């Protein structure tokens, strides 16, 4: 049976919303909401990877597993790979749950894990849903394009990721920042140089696409809010 670990990368240096993981939502720090959702999945091993003692102390206080990583990382995937190495994990699948999605549905994480288990030739996967009208011009909402229409319980290779797809383009979806990787792909990821598209779009997944790695996209109706701004924070406080 293939083993899976969830690793939640988290840091305090977000430019648009400083100290984001520790900001409270209904009396509880954001990172704890994410950690609790991850613990409700069918995946037993859940870790938080952070460079900040404040986050580490918080996770330790609730009995969670945390690993301190370097401060030099510019992407969550790089931080996750360091955590995987330091923890000496032998898990075949690593799931990256972003630390700024406090209302992520545990079943969406299970969906991703099930796909990876039943498709051993897939090296990376993610999920996406429908783009809302107000999101087409919102650069904070990352979109993903596929070559065909996504259906429920179906995964297709991503064709492109961008923040500014035109509304009349076909098969464009709201990308949800949730990833599953094989351990082997994580090792490859950190050895690759950042591609020009990764730099210009500030989208780390372009490093894989630009190096001809497939990222499979599954359709979901679950649309967790990625908290990037003060406005997002106020909205999530109303939702949760």
């Amino acid at each position: 049976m293939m083993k899976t670990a969830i690793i939640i990368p988290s840091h305090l240096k977000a430019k648009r919303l400083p100290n984001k993981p520790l900001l409270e939502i209904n009396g509880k720090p954001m990172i704890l909401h994410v950690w609790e959702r991850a613990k409700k999945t069918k995946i037993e091993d859940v870790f938080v990877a952070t460079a900040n003692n404040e986050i580490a102390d918080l996770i330790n206080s609730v009995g969670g597993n945390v690993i301190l990583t370097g401060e030099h990382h510019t992407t969550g995937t790089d931080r996750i790979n360091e955590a995987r190495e330091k923890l000496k994990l032998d898990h075949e699948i690593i799931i990256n749950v972003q630390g700024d999605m406090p209302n992520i549905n545990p079943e969406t994480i299970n969906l991703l894990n099930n796909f990876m288990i039943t498709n051993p030739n897939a090296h990376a996967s993610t999920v996406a849903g429908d783009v809302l009208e107000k999101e087409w011009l919102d650069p904070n909402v990352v979109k993903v394009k596929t070559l065909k229409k996504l259906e429920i319980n179906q995964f297709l290779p991503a064709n492109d990721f961008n923040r500014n797809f035109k509304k009349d383009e076909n098969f464009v979806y709201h990308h949800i920042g949730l990833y599953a990787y094989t351990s082997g792909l994580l090792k490859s990821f950190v050895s690759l140089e950042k591609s020009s598209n990764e730099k210009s779009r500030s989208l780390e997944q372009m490093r894989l696409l630009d190096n001809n790695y497939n990222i499979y996209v599954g359709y979901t109706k679950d649309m967790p809010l990625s908290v990037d701004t003060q406005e997002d924070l106020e909205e999530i406080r109303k939702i949760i």
Side-chain angles (χ1 to χ4, degrees), residues 1 17 39 41 45 50 68 133 154 203 213 218 227:
M1 181 67 177
L17 197 59
K39 292 291 288 183
T41 66
D45 296 325
T50 183
L68 282 169
E133 185 70 28
Q154 179 189 49
L203 296 175
Y213 286 95
V227 180

Side-chain angles (χ1 to χ4, degrees), residues 101-112:
M101 293 193 300
N103 65 330
I104 182 70
N105 187 337
E107 287 306 315
T108 304
I109 302 173
N110 288 332
L111 171 73
L112 204 56

Side-chain angles (χ1 to χ4, degrees), residues 67-80:
I67 183 73
L68 282 169
T69 57
E71 297 183 0
H72 61 287
H73 296 300
T74 58
T75 73
T77 309
D78 289 297
R79 187 179 306 282
I80 281 174

Side-chain angles (χ1 to χ4, degrees), residues 16 79 91 111 136 140-141 145 167 181 185 223:
R16 287 176 290 180
R79 187 179 306 282
H91 301 63
L111 171 73
W136 283 104
N140 292 319
V141 177
K145 183 178 176 66
K167 186 178 177 181
Y181 305 105
L185 183 65
M223 296 299 290

Side-chain angles (χ1 to χ4, degrees), residues 13 29 47 61 83 99 222:
K13 293 184 178 180
F47 304 88
S61 73
D222 173 38

Side-chain angles (χ1 to χ4, degrees), residues 7 48-49 67 69 78-89:
I7 303 180
V48 173
I67 183 73
T69 57
D78 289 297
R79 187 179 306 282
I80 281 174
N81 188 64
E82 184 193 347
R84 180 191 63 80
E85 290 180 340
K86 280 190 170 181
L87 291 164
K88 298 181 179 179
L89 298 181

Side-chain angles (χ1 to χ4, degrees), residues 19-218:
N19 297 317
K20 179 166 61 172
L22 300 181
L23 297 176
E24 291 196 350
I25 301 168
N26 292 347
K28 184 185 300 180
M30 186 184 308
I31 187 63
L32 278 190
H33 284 279
V34 179
W35 176 80
E36 288 177 353
R37 297 282 177 125
K39 292 291 288 183
K40 290 180 180 179
T41 66
K42 297 177 181 179
I43 300 162
E44 183 176 349
D45 296 325
V46 178
F47 304 88
V48 173
T50 183
N52 305 108
N53 288 316
E54 298 95 323
I55 294 173
D57 290 344
L58 177 63
I59 298 301
N60 280 324
S61 73
V62 295
N65 293 316
V66 64
I67 183 73
L68 282 169
T69 57
E71 297 183 0
H72 61 287
H73 296 300
T74 58
T75 73
T77 309
D78 289 297
R79 187 179 306 282
I80 281 174
N81 188 64
E82 184 193 347
R84 180 191 63 80
E85 290 180 340
K86 280 190 170 181
L87 291 164
K88 298 181 179 179
L89 298 181
D90 62 353
H91 301 63
E92 294 90 347
I93 301 166
I94 306 294
I95 296 183
N96 174 351
V97 177
Q98 302 285 346
D100 59 4
M101 293 193 300
N103 65 330
I104 182 70
N105 187 337
E107 287 306 315
T108 304
I109 302 173
N110 288 332
L111 171 73
L112 204 56
N113 187 43
N114 290 338
F115 170 77
M116 295 296 288
I117 291 172
T118 55
N119 293 271
N121 292 325
H123 299 293
S125 60
T126 187
V127 288
D130 297 321
V131 182
L132 301 178
E133 185 70 28
K134 65 179 181 179
E135 294 175 339
W136 283 104
L137 298 178
D138 187 348
N140 292 319
V141 177
V142 178
K143 290 87 174 174
V144 58
K145 183 178 176 66
T146 55
L147 292 178
K148 297 190 297 183
K149 182 180 178 180
L150 277 179
E151 305 285 355
I152 293 176
N153 297 322
Q154 179 189 49
F155 281 73
L156 294 173
N159 180 250
D160 197 11
F161 291 86
N162 212 327
R163 302 175 186 274
N164 302 305
F165 285 113
K166 294 180 181 179
K167 186 178 177 181
D168 59 355
E169 291 190 60
N170 291 326
F171 316 131
V172 174
Y173 300 90
H174 176 137
H175 178 233
I176 296 166
L178 179 69
Y179 299 93
Y181 305 105
T182 63
S183 289
L185 183 65
L186 275 177
K187 295 177 187 177
S188 298
F189 180 93
V190 298
S191 69
L192 299 170
E193 291 189 8
K194 287 188 176 183
S195 68
S196 58
N197 280 324
E198 177 181 1
K199 294 176 182 177
S200 63
R201 303 179 190 183
S202 295
L203 296 175
E204 62 186 279
Q205 59 268 47
M206 293 307 301
R207 193 185 312 182
L208 293 178
L209 286 194
D210 290 340
N211 284 278
N212 299 313
Y213 286 95
N214 276 332
I215 303 175
Y216 289 87
V217 185

